Amino acid sequence: TFSGHESPVLSLAVQGENIWSGAQDGDIRVFHLSTQRCIRVLTRHRAPVHALLGNGDKMWSASMDGSVAIWDAQTIEFLGDVPLSFPKDRKSHFVFSLVPVAEASIWRIWTCGTDGAVRSWLSQSSASKPAPPPPVTVRALAAHSVSL
């Protein structure tokens, strides 16, 4: 049993030897899988953390506070926030989910938000600091695979 959160857990992601859990109070706890002990509590977000995504050597976290944070998955250090901008006509928007899609050796992280937009961000797992390009807004997204 992994314990320690003081509010409901909303998201989980396994990355290497660790499991990351995001909670309603905005905390992210990182547990070592074999010992089940909490090795770090991250308090960057100010609202529920409802999406976590491990991608290469990074962990992405999305919160209802409107932020998406990028963490070094091995050192568990904060690397930076994804520069999001939402329409001003609504008071609060946030990213609802995170999805990785591989393009050769570069990954794209797709986000969908409460503003009705789907955005794409570049994520290079070997980069030491995140440098997402301006988002590409799309109106529809579909994924499929073909087996011959």
Side-chain angles (χ1 to χ4, degrees), residues 110-129:
W110 292 86
T111 62
C112 62
T114 56
D115 63 343
V118 175
R119 294 178 178 87
S120 173
W121 307 87
L122 288 178
S123 173
Q124 295 178 327
S125 62
S126 61
S128 60
K129 290 189 177 183

Side-chain angles (χ1 to χ4, degrees), residues 15 53-60 70-75 79 100-109 121-132:
Q15 185 75 348
L53 171 69
N55 180 254
D57 57 359
K58 293 183 178 57
M59 179 64 69
W60 294 54
I70 303 174
W71 308 87
D72 183 300
Q74 295 188 358
T75 64
L79 295 175
V101 178
E103 294 178 4
S105 63
I106 297 174
W107 284 84
R108 284 194 172 275
I109 305 298
W121 307 87
L122 288 178
S123 173
Q124 295 178 327
S125 62
S126 61
S128 60
K129 290 189 177 183

